[in-house]
Amino acid sequence: MSVTAPPTVLRRRTGIAAGAALLALAATGCSGLGRTAVGPVSYTTEKNEVVTVHSPSVKGCHAMDPAGSGKVDNRTLIDMVLYTTRDCSGRGTAYVATTFSDTNAEHAPPWRSYRFIH
């Protein structure tokens, strides 16, 4: 004796499986597009002007004011690294965790760019 499911049940199961596969494909295909570090990054220029960037992209290097900054606030949900160069290269870096700040010592070179760790 063999048991076979009715055709309507088989179609429903096939439709559910196809829908789940499409949903998974759409979620993985779009997950990397336009990802931002939710929240603001603020820094103070040498003229004591506060510059705030809201939800910057997590990809790439972000250049700051050409003169740089001595104080940076990371109020995003992603950790960041500060650089003394405009192209996110070189040694003198600082790691700033999410919701933390960094203030340079009096004679330290200013921060000129940052990158997110993701």
Side-chain angles (χ1 to χ4, degrees):
M1 177 171 158
S2 75
V3 178
T4 309
T8 56
V9 172
L10 291 176
R11 274 188 297 230
R12 187 177 316 137
R13 287 182 185 164
T14 304
I16 291 171
L22 285 174
L23 182 62
L25 182 63
T28 57
C30 297
S31 65
L33 300 176
R35 283 190 51 205
T36 62
V38 178
V41 172
S42 299
Y43 61 90
T44 306
T45 66
E46 67 176 3
K47 297 176 184 176
N48 284 331
E49 295 173 341
V50 176
V51 177
T52 302
V53 181
H54 294 279
S55 299
S57 172
V58 297
K59 295 181 179 180
C61 177
H62 301 275
M64 300 168 128
D65 186 78
S69 174
K71 182 177 190 301
V72 178
D73 295 319
N74 180 11
R75 300 290 177 235
T76 68
L77 300 177
I78 301 178
D79 298 348
M80 64 192 301
V81 176
L82 302 174
Y83 296 86
T84 57
T85 61
R86 300 241 334 133
D87 63 352
C88 295
S89 65
R91 292 189 140 204
T93 64
Y95 180 89
V96 182
T98 181
T99 69
F100 279 85
S101 299
D102 180 85
T103 303
N104 272 353
E106 189 175 332
H107 297 292
W111 303 120
R112 290 195 167 94
S113 63
Y114 60 94
R115 172 185 309 269
F116 289 102
I117 300 171
H118 60 98

